[in-house]
């Protein structure tokens, strides 16, 4: 299978972002990963509430996600919520690309796509905010940051986009 990659970072980013849309199965997989990531991030923003709601009955999952989405919107605003959504979507794209490259290439060819891990970690920790940080004992650290941690979220997403642009379409073979 020969896939041409556009030269430059923009071409690689477009190729990486559009790759999950090449088949219905990939698009569905990326969408499922994005939804699961979003739900995980929102639920981890207030872990005690989430544990209480889900401990009572799994039927409260939708109520918990809606309530915590509203809480996220109220605490970090529309821009912050859009960064959480963007992170979830980019996670779906990145994991779809990694899975394809693992299937098509040897382990050494996955090096570029595994470079998205720092972006996933940096942006994910910033997106879920107090959830992970609360478990670490530093729950108020994002609140103390300028713009309620939105700059850290944005930096993580930019890092994730950089690594996606660097890797491009996972079906392409890059010979340097």
């Amino acid at each position: 299978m020969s896939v041409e990659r556009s030269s430059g970072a923009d071409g690689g980013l477009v190729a990486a972002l559009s790759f999950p849309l090449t088949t219905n199965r990939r698009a569905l997989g990326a969408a499922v990963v994005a939804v699961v990531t979003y739900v995980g991030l929102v639920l981890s923003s207030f872990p005690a509430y989430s544990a209480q709601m889900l401990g009572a009955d799994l039927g409260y999952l939708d109520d918990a996600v809606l309530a915590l989405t509203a809480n996220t919107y109220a605490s970090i605003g529309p821009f912050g919520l859009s960064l959480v959504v963007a992170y979830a979507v980019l996670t779906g794209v990145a994991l779809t690309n990694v899975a394809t490259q693992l299937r098509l290439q040897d382990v050494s060819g996955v090096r570029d796509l595994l470079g998205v891990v720092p972006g996933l970690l940096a942006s994910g920790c910033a997106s879920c905010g107090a959830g992970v940080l609360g478990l670490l004992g530093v729950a108020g650290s994002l609140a103390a940051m300028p713009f309620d941690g939105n700059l850290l979220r944005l930096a993580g997403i930019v890092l994730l986009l950089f690594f996606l642009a660097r890797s491009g379409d996972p079906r392409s073979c890059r010979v340097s």
Side-chain angles (χ1 to χ4, degrees):
M1 177 180 303
S2 174
V3 176
E4 294 295 322
R5 183 197 311 220
S6 302
S7 60
D10 291 341
L13 181 59
V14 169
L17 292 176
S18 62
F19 173 72
L21 302 176
T22 56
T23 67
N24 290 337
R25 184 175 176 201
R26 285 187 194 119
L28 179 63
V32 167
V33 170
V35 168
V36 168
T37 301
Y38 178 78
V39 168
L41 290 173
V42 169
L43 290 178
S44 69
S45 69
F46 197 172
Y49 174 79
S50 300
Q52 187 175 18
M53 292 289 282
L54 299 178
D57 186 8
L58 284 178
Y60 290 121
L61 177 64
D62 57 343
D63 292 331
V65 170
L66 287 174
L68 291 175
T69 296
N71 184 44
T72 302
Y73 180 83
S75 49
I76 61 176
F79 181 68
L81 183 60
S82 67
L83 290 175
V84 173
V85 171
Y87 170 73
V89 170
L90 289 174
T91 299
V93 169
L95 291 181
T96 301
N97 291 2
V98 167
T100 299
Q101 193 160 13
L102 280 172
R103 190 172 44 87
L104 294 177
Q105 297 181 4
D106 62 350
V107 175
S108 65
V110 179
R111 184 180 48 211
D112 284 342
L113 279 177
L114 288 181
V116 303
V117 171
L120 287 172
L121 293 177
S123 185
C125 289
S127 294
C128 68
V132 171
L133 295 175
L135 295 174
L136 299 175
V138 288
S141 63
L142 276 180
M145 298 181 107
F147 308 109
D148 296 320
N150 283 340
L151 289 178
L152 182 60
R153 287 180 189 91
L154 184 61
I157 288 172
V158 167
L159 184 62
L160 185 55
L161 287 170
F162 170 76
F163 285 113
L164 281 171
R166 187 170 165 233
S167 61
D169 190 317
R171 298 172 296 182
S172 65
C173 180
R174 191 160 80 187
V175 178
S176 300

